[in-house]
Amino acid sequence: MFGARCLLLALRRCSSAPCPKHTQAARLRVCEALEAQELAGDIKVQGWVRSVRSQKEVLFLHINDGSSLESLQVVADPTLEHRDLTFGSAVEVQGKLVKSLHRMQNVELKAENIRVVGPCGTLTFPFKPRERQPLEYSRQFPHLRCRTNTLSSLLRVRSEATAAIHSFFKDNGYVHVHTPIITSNDCEGAGELFHVRTSDKVQKPGENSHFFNVPAFLTVSGQLHLEVMAGAFTQVFTFGPTFRAENSQSRRHLAEFYMVEAEVSFTESLQDIIQVMEDLFKTATSIVLSKCPQDVELFHKYVSPAQKGRLEQMLKNKFITISYTEAVEILKRAPQTFTFQPKWGSDLQTQHEKYLVKHCGEVPVFVVNYPYDLKPFYMRDNEDGPQHTVAAVDLLVPGIGELCGGSLREERLHFLQSRLERLGLADAYQWYLDLRQFGSAPHGGFGMGFERYLQCILGVDNIKDVIPFPRFPHSCLL
């Protein structure tokens, strides 16, 4: 009886007075811990072990969770060491953030508990601690290479560059449009097409073989769809995947890549388009350099040591503009011999583009006014002579060649209709002609290959090293 009364009193005291609460450890990302201005107690960090060093009186770990290039140092009592605590293992560390005695870092995590969430077999894991493998080696392991410093830095740069491009267009009043990935439009020979068909349907005799009743393809460009939107919005852009079925394993080609494309209405000047291209490049690049300097520096130090100086030159100088005709004359006077001899009316090859940039002092070059017969039907006729040209522009950059391509669009119905009829495309592009009959305004636009942009700012030679997943025939995953 007495014991029951005591229990009842204890329950009443607990209900009338606040009971002590169990405080959970605050979870911090590695980048947040490294940037912490104040020391903190009872925090939790989750990530992967980059190094383990066990001494008689102390255990050192370096933990990285992908949020920064720099890892967080963990100091612990040797009794916390576990046989599964190895390079590459996934761990959760709980402890206190304290001031570090190491001059290279401000803070470190004094561990009170280390839990191995997922062990890593170090003997079979293809990457080893303190080994800097070349990009060619890591390309063999597309499912694991993101765990290397180089590829994790690339993916952070890629993420920040994506955000910077969106920010540029948003700050300048552009409307973002999601253009179709599956389309019946081939953008008039913009590249070889991937044909889309169903894989599980048996075609019956006389049945239409096309899922959409017309041939369908993976998009090679969102430009023509953007032009539709440019009839209702003065500034639009899209940023999405595009596909080219070019059977090439070269260092310059991808079957799938991302394109930044924009259209501007009520402009009759190619210079307006040129200015947007230059502003986009400089603004986005400046943001990337400010947001992830360590990641960019890794590439400039170990992958392309000369790229830092080239990039600084590009950002501080005004881009140069020359005509296609001037470019051909420069190439004809060049002291070097080209595989493809330059002549008026022929497209500029990569070797020509790189020479032009070098000739102009390693500063990006806009080449304008290309031959009429060299460019697609939608580019505006300059009505000039004797050498007939269109209001087109390509941006050439050091080490890459062509980065962007654009033009004024042909808004005059009779010019556009006449050319489509000569090409036998008038019926297929009747909808495009309709755009010129209902409130048509002069407009222009451009496209920029996102992976080539990353190559340009980082100095990466092989375009397959700036994508998350390289594609190889032997890879069932990719």
Side-chain angles (χ1 to χ4, degrees):
M1 187 70 178
F2 180 75
R5 284 179 183 173
C6 289
L7 177 60
L8 181 61
L9 288 172
L11 288 172
R12 284 174 178 171
R13 280 197 298 269
C14 188
S15 62
S16 60
C19 293
K21 294 182 179 179
H22 175 70
T23 57
Q24 280 193 334
R27 180 186 171 188
L28 289 184
R29 291 182 298 154
V30 166
C31 67
E32 294 169 335
L34 292 170
E35 294 169 1
Q37 299 298 315
E38 297 180 2
L39 304 182
D42 208 16
I43 69 162
K44 177 169 62 179
V45 173
Q46 297 162 327
W48 293 267
V49 176
R50 288 296 177 88
S51 71
V52 183
R53 183 160 51 94
S54 181
Q55 297 181 354
K56 186 176 180 181
E57 297 182 352
V58 66
L59 173 67
F60 291 101
L61 302 178
H62 281 91
I63 307 297
N64 193 285
D65 63 356
S67 62
S68 73
L69 177 61
E70 187 179 355
S71 298
L72 176 65
Q73 178 167 282
V74 176
V75 292
D77 190 279
T79 57
L80 294 178
E81 187 172 10
H82 189 278
R83 64 184 178 87
D84 288 333
L85 191 60
T86 60
F87 172 73
S89 60
V91 297
E92 181 179 277
V93 182
Q94 192 168 330
K96 292 180 171 57
L97 203 60
V98 299
K99 186 173 179 60
S100 177
L101 299 177
H102 198 286
R103 62 183 180 87
M104 297 296 290
Q105 56 193 25
N106 295 323
V107 296
E108 59 191 20
L109 182 59
K110 187 176 181 181
E112 295 172 352
N113 182 52
I114 300 175
R115 182 168 72 94
V116 177
V117 178
C120 176
T122 54
L123 293 178
T124 55
F125 190 52
F127 303 107
K128 307 302 177 187
R130 292 179 294 278
E131 283 187 10
R132 187 175 299 280
Q133 300 288 358
L135 292 171
E136 291 76 13
Y137 175 81
S138 61
R139 219 180 292 141
Q140 300 175 70
F141 307 98
H143 57 306
L144 297 173
R145 70 175 193 159
C146 61
R147 305 190 191 192
T148 66
N149 278 344
T150 304
L151 265 296
S152 62
S153 285
L154 177 276
L155 292 171
R156 282 188 294 271
V157 169
R158 191 179 170 107
S159 177
E160 289 295 347
T162 300
I165 289 167
H166 277 275
S167 176
F168 170 83
F169 285 117
K170 182 177 176 61
D171 292 346
N172 285 280
Y174 285 73
V175 174
H176 182 208
V177 177
H178 294 105
T179 55
I181 291 176
I182 300 177
T183 175
S184 60
N185 159 40
D186 72 352
C187 211
E188 209 267 322
E192 296 296 325
L193 303 170
F194 283 106
H195 200 162
V196 178
R197 296 186 179 92
T198 56
S199 61
D200 57 349
K201 185 179 179 182
V202 178
Q203 185 180 346
K204 298 176 182 178
E207 185 182 27
N208 192 324
S209 62
H210 303 300
F211 184 81
F212 299 103
N213 296 323
V214 294
F217 312 97
L218 295 181
T219 182
V220 295
S221 171
Q223 178 213 313
L224 298 185
H225 292 98
L226 275 189
E227 285 197 62
V228 172
M229 298 301 171
F233 303 92
T234 56
Q235 298 181 131
V236 290
F237 83 101
T238 189
F239 188 171
T242 53
F243 307 85
R244 302 284 167 89
E246 297 174 2
N247 190 17
S248 173
Q249 293 296 321
S250 78
R251 307 169 80 84
R252 288 178 52 81
H253 291 90
L254 290 172
E256 176 186 350
F257 55 97
Y258 275 69
M259 281 282 286
V260 182
E261 298 176 273
E263 291 289 321
V264 181
S265 295
F266 296 95
T267 179
E268 298 181 62
S269 170
L270 191 59
Q271 183 57 42
D272 292 343
I273 307 302
I274 287 173
Q275 194 59 57
V276 176
M277 293 162 76
E278 182 170 349
D279 290 345
L280 169 63
F281 179 89
K282 289 183 174 179
T283 302
T285 304
S286 297
I287 292 173
V288 170
L289 292 176
S290 67
K291 291 286 188 179
C292 39
Q294 288 182 317
D295 295 310
V296 175
E297 181 62 28
L298 180 144
F299 281 88
H300 290 175
K301 185 175 181 180
Y302 296 107
V303 178
S304 181
Q307 191 63 20
K308 183 177 181 180
R310 282 197 292 262
L311 194 57
E312 290 172 350
Q313 184 87 343
M314 286 187 262
L315 292 176
K316 75 179 183 181
N317 287 294
K318 180 73 177 172
F319 293 0
I320 294 170
T321 301
I322 61 174
S323 70
Y324 168 87
T325 301
E326 290 173 314
V328 171
E329 290 304 314
I330 291 170
L331 293 169
K332 284 181 176 179
R333 297 193 301 266
Q336 72 181 65
T337 302
F338 297 107
T339 305
F340 299 92
Q341 290 306 307
K343 63 178 180 178
W344 204 95
S346 297
D347 211 350
L348 299 179
Q349 302 297 318
T350 302
Q351 58 180 182
H352 300 147
E353 295 167 348
K354 290 182 177 181
Y355 178 83
L356 289 170
V357 173
K358 186 177 179 181
H359 175 83
C360 293
E362 296 291 348
V363 174
V365 179
F366 289 109
V367 179
V368 300
N369 299 331
Y370 279 77
Y372 178 89
D373 292 327
L374 201 59
K375 292 296 183 179
F377 67 85
Y378 48 75
M379 296 193 175
R380 197 177 199 275
D381 189 345
N382 281 331
E383 297 182 87
D384 53 357
Q387 295 172 318
H388 198 180
T389 66
V390 291
V393 56
D394 285 343
L395 174 59
L396 315 180
V397 295
I400 302 296
E402 182 187 346
L403 175 64
C404 303
S407 74
L408 293 181
R409 313 312 189 191
E410 185 58 84
E411 87 286 0
R412 297 165 296 183
L413 178 60
H414 61 289
F415 278 85
L416 185 59
Q417 188 163 20
S418 174
R419 191 167 192 190
L420 283 172
E421 286 174 353
R422 288 197 304 272
L423 295 169
L425 297 171
D427 290 340
Y429 286 91
Q430 183 58 52
W431 66 269
Y432 193 70
L433 291 170
D434 286 349
L435 299 178
R436 271 59 178 176
Q437 298 185 71
F438 308 114
S440 178
H443 62 286
F446 69 93
M448 179 180 78
F450 184 53
E451 281 75 17
R452 284 194 182 180
Y453 169 73
L454 294 173
Q455 281 186 282
C456 178
I457 63 174
L458 297 176
V460 177
D461 180 53
N462 192 326
I463 197 168
K464 294 174 178 61
D465 290 325
V466 293
I467 59 174
F469 300 102
R471 281 151 176 80
F472 289 105
H474 65 259
S475 176
C476 59
L477 171 66
L478 306 172

